[in-house]
Each structure stands twice: as C-alpha cells, then as structure tokens.
C-alpha cells in the first residue's frame, strides 16, 4: 500500500524558515510528479509547488523566490524549503504524489495527512 508521510511543520517567526519533508513508502513501480499544497482555514486547497520526475519545478507566484521544492528519487522523498516566511503562509501543508504501485497498470494520486505550519510572532 502506497503511503505519503509528511514531517517538519511547526511554528516559525515571520522572516524565519522551515523545511517540510515527505516520504513515499510501499511497493512502488514509479513516481511521477510530486507537489506540495496548502490549505488555510475556510479556503480551498491550493498548489504551492510541483516538481516533475525529471526535476523541473513550478511555484505559486506568492512563494516564488522564497520556497524551494526538491526531490530525491532514490530515497523517494520530496522537500519544501520555506524561507522568509510570512503570516499568510500559515496553513496545513499536504504532500501529493502521482504514484504507480507495484504491478499496477496506472498511476494515481496519493496524499499525505498534512502538517501544520504556523507563522507568528
């Protein structure tokens, strides 16, 4: 069974940094695009950053220049380095991955359970 598990959330001061990590586990044939999403109270879940299997990255405009997404295909992990954090970055952050499980004919999207990031002084 494929699982995505996030870690690294917590409390940071404005201008501070946090690093989120997401590990993919289970019997897996391949991992495609992976991404981080955020969801603030009362709002819909929004894409923060996406990274392709080849390493090409896309960022939401509000985090461009502050956040960096990366992946380690061997360790089946992705990370989100968040710098110059702002109070408006406060949200639950979710890891999402397009994964083809072992002996499965098609890939499907999987989600982690989410990790809270709070930016406050």
């Amino acid at each position: 069974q494929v699982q995505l598990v996030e870690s690294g959330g917590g409390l940071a001061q404005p201008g501070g940094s946090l690093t989120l990590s997401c590990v993919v586990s289970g019997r897996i044939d391949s991992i495609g695009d992976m991404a981080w999403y955020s969801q603030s109270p009362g709002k819909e879940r929004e894409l923060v950053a996406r990274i392709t299997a080849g390493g090409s990255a896309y960022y939401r405009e509000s985090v461009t220049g502050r956040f960096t997404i990366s992946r380690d295909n061997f360790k089946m992990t992705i990370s989100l380095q968040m710098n110059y954090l702002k109070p408006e970055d406060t949200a639950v952050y979710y890891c999402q991955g397009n994964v083809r499980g072992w002996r499965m004919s098609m890939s499907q999207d999987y989600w982690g359970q989410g990790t809270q990031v709070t930016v406050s002084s």
Side-chain angles (χ1 to χ4, degrees):
Q1 184 175 356
V2 176
Q3 287 187 313
L4 276 62
V5 179
E6 302 104 333
S7 61
L11 176 65
Q13 292 189 339
S17 299
L18 284 174
T19 302
L20 306 183
S21 296
C22 173
V23 179
V24 183
S25 64
R27 304 188 76 178
I28 295 164
D29 271 353
S30 64
I31 303 174
D33 291 4
M34 296 196 69
W36 289 97
Y37 284 75
S38 66
Q39 187 168 21
S40 303
K43 295 187 177 181
E44 293 187 355
R45 195 172 295 186
E46 297 180 297
L47 177 67
V48 177
R50 172 177 285 118
I51 187 165
T52 68
S56 296
Y58 164 83
Y59 298 92
R60 185 169 75 200
E61 184 176 359
S62 63
V63 307
T64 299
R66 300 189 298 121
F67 291 9
T68 302
I69 190 171
S70 60
R71 68 188 285 163
D72 184 324
N73 290 329
F74 181 74
K75 294 181 179 180
M76 296 195 297
T77 63
I78 65 167
S79 298
L80 185 69
Q81 176 65 45
M82 303 186 293
N83 297 326
Y84 305 107
L85 284 162
K86 303 177 181 180
E88 50 263 43
D89 295 322
T90 296
V92 178
Y93 284 73
Y94 296 90
C95 174
Q96 179 262 328
N98 188 254
V99 181
R100 186 160 64 90
W102 188 58
R103 291 189 175 182
M104 300 297 288
S105 59
M106 295 180 64
S107 300
Q108 66 181 78
D109 288 339
Y110 293 86
W111 293 86
Q113 81 285 355
T115 185
Q116 176 71 46
V117 170
T118 303
V119 184
S120 175
S121 56

